[in-house]
Amino acid sequence: MLLFWLGAALAHEVRAQAQEHEIKAAFIYNFISFTEWPGKFGATIDICTMGNDPLNTPLGALQNKSAKGTLIAVRHLSSGDEMKDCHVVFISDSERMNFPSILARLKSAPTLTVTDSEGLAAQGVMIELGLEERHIVFKINMNAAKQSRLMIKSKLLRLAKVVY
Amino acid sequence: MGLRALFFNTQSIRHKLMIIGLTTTGLVALLFLLTSGLLIKEFFNAKEAMARDLSAQAQMLAENSSAAVVFNDRAGATEILSSLNTSPIIIEAAILLPNQEVFAWFRRPAPFPSRRSPLQKQQDAAPNMLLTHPTIEKGDVTVKSDIIVDGKNVGTLRIGATMEPVYDRLLAFSLTIVALTAAGLGVSFFLLGRLRKSITGPLLDLTDMMERVAVTEDYSLRAKIETQDEVGLLTNRFNEMLAKIQLHDYALEKELQERQRTEERLDYIAHYDPVTTLPNRHFFNARLDQLSTPVREEGVPVPGTPLAIPTPDKTPKSGEPPLTLTAHPCAAAATGILPNAALAHPCAALMFIDLDNFKIINDNLGHLVGDLVLKAVANRLRFTLRPTDVIARIGGDEFAVLLGDLQASGHAVIVAEKIRYALADAFQIDGHEIYAHASIGIAIFPQDTTDPTDLLRLADTAMYHAKERGKNTYQFFLPEMQGKAQKRMDMESGLRHALANGELEIHYQPKYDLLQKRIIGAEALLRWKRPGIGMVGPYDFIPIAEETGLIVPIGEWVLNQACQQIAAWNARFKVPIHIAVNLSGRQFKERNLVDVVRHALGQAAIPAHYLELEITESIVVGTEGTTIDKLNELQAMNLNISIDDFGTGYSSMSYLKRLPISTLKIDRSFIKDTPGDSEDVAITSAIIAMAKILKLDIVAEGVETQEQIDFLLGQGCTVIQGYFISPPVPAQAFGEMLQAQADT
């Protein structure tokens, strides 16, 4: 019996976690709608993931979905790949150490940087997803976005927990 | 159009005004309806507008909340929705996810708009309640807007708003309009009422006044002019008309009064004698009728009774009738009459008063004096009688008195005596001393008769007898008089037909000349032989003939007969004779007398001097100019005129001198006692002597004895007439006498 319950709890927890990642992925998907890139999109909107992250899977599910009238392509970046071509880059928590170099590489490139690693928004990541009381929250770094010539709609800004 | 106009015209002004008012009001109501219609349209417009506004708002919010929705920011979304609080009409709003889950919602906190149900308690209810127990009601506006993110419908925003404020506003507006309209209507009704009154008021006042005038017939009333409009004009004209009517009315009144006065005057004239101012025959007859009339109505005067009777002097007015007349007290006495009338209690007496010889006064002294005499007599009579006695002048010199409350016949005697006494003294009139006595006939009601008309007749008969008895006396009616009166009437009616029926004859009495010893002439005397009765004495019928005027045709007939007889005899006998015909005074009243004589002479074709006319003294006594003229004319025709019954009349010497006469005939009364009676002898001698001096012929009448003849001869009277020679004989017998004479 205890095992069962344990198992159920575990399963629940697993499910919860899975839900969290899906929601985050959904958020990221939606961020696209509330962000303005300079110039037009190409054939696709490229979402690139970096690092090893459970989010990679739900993000990968975004493949061939469309946003803003354009198909989404999701690809996984190993280090060194051209990140500048990505419209959106998700920086995993596992890449936390590489974070400054990533940012340096993306400097002024019109790429929306998103992470769920804590405290990175303050350091220059444009959107930082977080979990607070079972709610997904996010922080937005407007300056970073401005520097990359990205416009984040005020609607989104409003929802952000913090705006840098 | 015509029908409508007709309908309109027949309505009263009040209705007309009401119709106008209603029409106007109707228009106002129409206007109101239009306005209401507009309002309603406005309402719908407002609703539409509101819906549009809300839609816009919803869209805006949808847009704004899109991020919150996709990012599951319920709080944020709720906050966004709560901004709708500022709009008072919004009751609730909700963001629904595509799975109909309520993502965020907003509900206006209490107090809800007033009419909301107590669901406001459920303000804090779960959002899901929103769907199951919506507070959105019918009439509210709900809009929704899809929340689109990047072309994808991520949710729906619903807003529910209440129209209530709009309703309230509209209601207030409507109420205001209604109130204003009502007020307007009220005012207009009031004003219309005033207007109507200002028109119908004066009109009704006018009609009221008209009615008053018609009812009271008081044309001095005037209607008040209340307005200066057409009605005022009408009132003005009405008043003018009234003024005219008033004038007419007044004039009519005056004329009626005049007419009434005239009627009264006529009435007076018809019933009063102007000379004596006594009531006249008509009046008296009416009063007589009362004796037999049953009870009359109270207050209805006897016809012909004037209401005011003037009297010349202050003496108690006798003969004046009381104004209200019931039956005469004697009428009752008459109705219960017993078979033996003599047992009946005497109740009234009728006195027929005839003045004696009044004709002489009239002829002698003239009509003016005669009238004065009548007046004086009337006054004395009035004075003698009581106020309750009725006195009237019913003829030329005839008066009638009705003593109304006779206690006994003796009362009438007393009155008769009083009258006689009153008339005994002479009247001093115009310097003349005149005596006017009267003969009075008295009849008693109801004893003598119960018929009032008859009463007069009986009194008349009694009066006639009084005259026969010598005049200046009174006579009660006696039953046997009835016979005489009857006889008289009988004779009169017989006489009327006597001439036509050839019942009249002429007898001739010879005039004998003592010296010539022969008949020289004849007097024609009228005789009447009534079939079945025989001869009627001339003293009986000739007076009647004179009174009735029958003497005129009869006299004419006599003249003609006599002339014819003259012609016949003178043709037959060598020695001509004359015939004397008596003419009565009545004949002299005829204007054509002379022509009649002339005609008779002409027809017989005889010389005039063979006809002699005998007249009595009384004819010539008087100043009737016409009589003298006629006599002169007759004399001019060569006729002989003689005075008959000389010595018995009133003629004076001066008259004799002037009259165109040729002969005097001494009345038989003087001859009768001659030569025995010295007085008669003296008178006769005197007459003869006078005649001689005046160169008149003399004939002595009624000669019956030889002594008389001797005496007369001795006095110088040569012609005689009388039974000694012959009584009057029929023509044939006379003719034989003439024959015998001629033969000798």
Side-chain angles (χ1 to χ4, degrees):
Chain A
M1 190 46 76
L2 190 71
L3 264 166
F4 175 72
W5 280 114
L6 226 68
L10 262 167
H12 183 76
E13 192 59 42
V14 166
R15 244 200 314 246
Q17 274 195 344
Q19 274 181 347
E20 178 198 327
H21 295 308
E22 275 160 20
I23 292 172
K24 281 180 180 170
F27 271 43
I28 294 168
Y29 172 66
N30 286 324
F31 288 150
I32 297 171
S33 300
F34 289 94
T35 309
E36 292 289 335
W37 276 263
K40 278 194 164 147
F41 289 123
T44 54
I45 300 176
D46 300 326
I47 300 177
C48 306
T49 58
M50 281 191 75
N52 200 8
D53 202 285
L55 258 175
N56 294 348
T57 319
L59 278 173
L62 292 177
Q63 175 75 29
N64 289 328
K65 281 208 163 82
S66 59
K68 285 193 156 165
T70 317
L71 278 171
I72 295 173
V74 182
R75 60 176 200 252
H76 184 71
L77 290 179
S78 343
S79 53
D81 283 350
E82 285 299 323
M83 273 182 262
K84 290 187 193 156
D85 297 328
C86 300
H87 295 97
V88 181
V89 166
F90 177 70
I91 306 169
S92 166
D93 189 48
S94 65
E95 295 297 307
R96 199 185 165 88
M97 261 95 56
N98 298 332
F99 168 66
S101 65
I102 296 169
L103 278 185
R105 247 197 281 174
L106 284 174
K107 199 178 175 150
S108 65
T111 306
L112 185 71
T113 52
V114 183
T115 184
D116 68 346
S117 184
E118 198 181 319
L120 283 185
Q123 292 184 34
V125 175
M126 294 172 203
I127 303 177
E128 177 194 319
L129 289 162
L131 186 67
E132 214 172 89
E133 288 177 12
R134 315 254 306 269
H135 283 277
I136 307 292
V137 296
F138 49 86
K139 300 174 185 166
I140 297 179
N141 193 325
M142 265 296 292
N143 293 331
K146 266 202 224 158
Q147 277 179 2
S148 300
R149 287 178 290 139
L150 291 173
M151 268 297 301
I152 298 180
K153 291 201 176 154
S154 58
K155 287 189 240 183
L156 192 54
L157 289 175
R158 267 212 306 272
L159 296 175
K161 195 157 160 282
V162 179
V163 177
Y164 294 110
Chain B
M1 186 49 103
L3 244 135
R4 201 184 311 152
L6 197 68
F7 168 76
F8 193 66
N9 282 338
T10 57
Q11 300 300 307
S12 69
I13 289 187
R14 190 165 147 271
H15 285 156
K16 279 200 184 86
L17 289 172
M18 249 169 60
I19 291 173
I20 293 173
L22 283 174
T23 313
T24 322
T25 314
L27 286 171
V28 168
L30 200 69
L31 221 73
F32 171 70
L33 283 172
L34 283 171
T35 316
S36 306
L38 282 171
L39 269 177
I40 292 169
K41 186 162 169 295
E42 259 319 297
F43 167 73
F44 282 114
N45 283 354
K47 198 168 180 178
E48 262 181 45
M50 198 165 98
R52 272 200 303 276
D53 281 341
L54 280 176
S55 282
Q57 250 182 323
Q59 275 180 336
M60 249 176 16
L61 283 180
E63 181 63 33
N64 277 353
S65 61
S66 58
V69 169
V70 300
F71 293 110
N72 210 19
D73 188 353
R74 289 182 190 249
T78 307
E79 201 183 313
I80 290 173
L81 286 184
S82 68
S83 70
L84 291 173
N85 196 28
T86 55
S87 180
I89 61 172
I90 293 176
I91 300 175
E92 66 184 11
I95 297 177
L96 299 172
L97 296 175
N99 63 357
Q100 299 305 307
E101 185 194 327
V102 176
F103 180 73
W105 61 287
F106 157 76
R107 185 174 279 163
R108 173 170 296 284
F112 273 172
S114 53
R115 58 186 175 84
R116 292 288 152 167
S117 60
L119 271 174
Q120 61 192 52
K121 288 194 193 129
Q122 307 198 356
Q123 176 191 353
D124 303 320
N128 283 347
M129 294 286 276
L130 203 67
L131 292 171
T132 52
H133 296 284
T135 54
I136 304 286
E137 293 174 9
K138 220 166 151 204
D140 293 333
V141 180
T142 50
V143 296
K144 67 177 173 75
S145 183
D146 291 330
I147 305 173
I148 312 277
V149 171
D150 198 23
K152 282 192 290 278
N153 187 344
V154 300
T156 317
L157 181 85
R158 263 205 251 167
I159 303 181
T162 174
M163 292 288 290
E164 195 152 320
V166 177
Y167 287 148
D168 290 345
R169 236 195 343 273
L170 279 177
L171 189 69
F173 191 54
S174 307
L175 285 175
T176 312
I177 290 186
V178 166
L180 284 175
T181 311
L185 281 174
V187 167
S188 74
F189 265 127
F190 172 71
L191 286 176
L192 276 176
R194 289 287 296 272
L195 174 69
R196 178 176 57 74
K197 278 210 188 69
S198 81
I199 292 177
T200 61
L203 272 177
L204 287 172
D205 285 345
L206 185 61
T207 50
D208 279 343
M209 177 57 76
M210 282 184 185
E211 193 180 330
R212 253 182 76 193
V213 169
V215 163
T216 63
E217 294 191 14
D218 177 4
Y219 301 112
S220 65
L221 291 172
R222 294 286 177 270
K224 197 164 66 121
I225 298 176
E226 298 171 28
T227 54
Q228 293 301 318
D229 58 3
E230 289 88 333
V231 176
L233 183 66
L234 177 66
T235 312
N236 220 344
R237 295 282 173 264
F238 172 68
N239 283 342
E240 281 172 18
M241 196 177 73
L242 274 181
K244 280 220 175 66
I245 292 176
Q246 194 181 11
L247 274 173
H248 278 267
D249 196 48
Y250 182 71
L252 190 70
E253 187 85 34
K254 277 262 170 293
E255 192 179 311
L256 282 173
Q257 280 174 2
E258 193 57 43
R259 200 167 287 191
Q260 187 168 3
R261 267 200 289 273
T262 308
E263 266 178 32
E264 285 172 9
R265 254 192 68 78
L266 282 173
D267 207 41
Y268 176 78
I269 290 169
H271 291 94
Y272 278 79
D273 169 51
V275 173
T276 59
T277 68
L278 289 177
N280 65 8
R281 153 163 291 184
H282 295 119
F283 181 93
F284 194 77
N285 285 336
R287 300 295 267 119
L288 270 184
D289 280 344
Q290 263 196 306
L291 286 175
S292 63
T293 310
V295 182
R296 288 200 189 199
E297 297 152 40
E298 280 282 349
V300 176
V302 173
T305 307
L307 300 174
I309 299 148
T311 45
D313 51 39
K314 307 274 189 306
T315 54
K317 305 174 204 172
S318 59
E320 233 188 280
L323 287 180
T324 59
L325 304 164
T326 52
H328 196 282
C330 292
T335 51
I337 212 70
L338 304 165
N340 189 351
L343 290 179
H345 189 276
C347 196
L350 197 155
M351 302 174 71
F352 201 115
I353 303 167
D354 190 301
L355 294 182
D356 300 331
N357 304 322
F358 179 74
K359 191 176 171 308
I360 292 168
I361 298 170
N362 234 7
D363 293 345
N364 250 350
L365 303 171
H367 283 300
L368 281 160
V369 172
D371 284 351
L372 288 171
V373 169
L374 286 169
K375 270 182 87 162
V377 166
N379 283 340
R380 285 199 192 172
L381 289 174
R382 254 200 274 251
F383 194 78
T384 314
L385 298 164
R386 300 166 304 167
T388 52
D389 300 328
V390 182
I391 175 170
R393 178 186 174 193
I394 58 172
D397 61 346
E398 296 166 338
F399 297 84
V401 171
L402 184 67
L403 304 174
D405 55 351
L406 204 69
Q407 302 302 315
S409 311
H411 178 197
V413 173
I414 294 169
V415 176
E417 280 293 341
K418 278 172 75 176
I419 290 174
R420 272 194 64 208
Y421 188 73
L423 296 179
D425 291 337
F427 293 88
Q428 297 295 334
I429 292 183
D430 208 25
H432 302 286
E433 194 183 60
I434 298 168
Y435 285 93
H437 303 137
S439 302
I440 305 174
I442 309 172
I444 306 293
F445 178 92
Q447 282 163 313
D448 291 339
T449 179
T450 53
D451 180 349
T453 324
D454 218 28
L455 198 66
L456 190 63
R457 188 178 62 81
L458 299 187
D460 180 38
T461 307
M463 183 277 296
Y464 181 70
H465 276 84
K467 286 229 190 272
E468 296 222 310
R469 273 177 43 207
K471 305 187 183 176
N472 194 16
T473 185
Y474 60 88
Q475 171 72 50
F476 275 84
F477 174 78
L478 301 169
E480 52 264 32
M481 289 180 194
Q482 188 75 293
K484 284 202 183 151
Q486 193 63 40
K487 206 170 134 208
R488 196 187 134 87
M489 252 179 21
D490 189 49
M491 191 171 299
E492 188 182 315
S493 59
L495 194 60
R496 282 186 197 279
H497 303 106
L499 185 60
N501 294 345
E503 296 166 11
L504 297 173
E505 280 179 31
I506 301 186
H507 288 192
Y508 299 91
Q509 187 175 40
K511 286 192 193 171
Y512 190 83
D513 189 318
L514 292 167
L515 292 180
Q516 292 184 43
K517 286 195 171 37
R518 68 180 191 91
I519 299 168
I520 56 163
E523 183 181 343
L525 296 160
L526 191 59
R527 293 289 180 263
W528 181 19
K529 187 166 176 188
R530 289 185 79 174
I533 295 174
M535 281 297 187
V536 184
Y539 286 113
D540 290 333
F541 76 85
I542 288 185
I544 295 176
E546 283 174 347
E547 279 164 29
T548 56
L550 286 167
I551 193 70
V552 174
I554 291 173
E556 192 178 326
W557 176 76
V558 169
L559 270 170
N560 281 314
Q561 289 293 110
C563 289
Q564 296 289 341
Q565 195 62 65
I566 294 171
W569 279 334
N570 287 352
R572 194 166 139 198
F573 300 106
K574 253 199 332 213
V575 185
I577 58 156
H578 66 268
I579 298 181
V581 174
N582 286 292
L583 289 182
S584 83
R586 177 67 184 82
Q587 285 170 283
F588 271 86
K589 283 201 169 59
E590 299 296 307
R591 238 185 294 164
N592 65 346
L593 177 64
V594 178
D595 290 328
V596 166
V597 172
R598 200 176 283 137
H599 181 78
L601 288 170
Q603 283 292 104
I606 54 167
H609 66 265
Y610 287 136
L611 182 64
E612 196 175 290
L613 301 174
E614 291 188 13
I615 56 180
T616 58
E617 271 182 286
S618 56
I619 290 180
V620 295
V621 170
T623 53
E624 272 293 335
T626 56
T627 309
I628 307 282
D629 292 336
K630 289 192 182 87
L631 288 171
N632 281 324
E633 263 192 83
L634 291 166
Q635 195 202 39
M637 283 162 55
N638 217 12
L639 290 162
N640 284 321
I641 303 171
S642 54
I643 303 273
D644 201 2
D645 303 337
F646 185 76
T648 60
Y650 290 116
S651 56
S652 66
M653 302 300 163
S654 54
Y655 278 140
L656 282 178
K657 265 182 60 180
R658 282 186 277 140
L659 286 175
I661 54 173
S662 53
T663 313
L664 293 178
K665 293 178 80 174
I666 306 172
D667 189 64
R668 66 191 66 236
S669 61
F670 302 119
I671 306 296
K672 195 159 76 111
D673 294 327
T674 55
D677 190 289
S678 52
E679 268 185 20
D680 287 342
V681 165
I683 292 169
T684 310
S685 307
I687 293 171
I688 296 169
M690 187 180 71
K692 275 208 169 61
I693 294 169
L694 294 173
K695 296 193 180 49
L696 300 169
D697 291 332
I698 279 274
V699 177
E701 295 176 331
V703 174
E704 292 174 354
T705 69
Q706 185 63 50
E707 288 84 12
Q708 287 164 349
I709 292 175
D710 294 336
F711 163 68
L712 287 164
L713 264 178
Q715 293 298 313
C717 168
T718 54
V719 182
I720 59 169
Q721 195 178 324
Y723 274 56
F724 190 83
I725 305 299
S726 169
V729 295
Q732 188 178 347
F734 196 91
E736 285 164 8
M737 280 199 282
L738 287 176
Q739 185 70 55
Q741 182 174 281
D743 291 341
T744 53

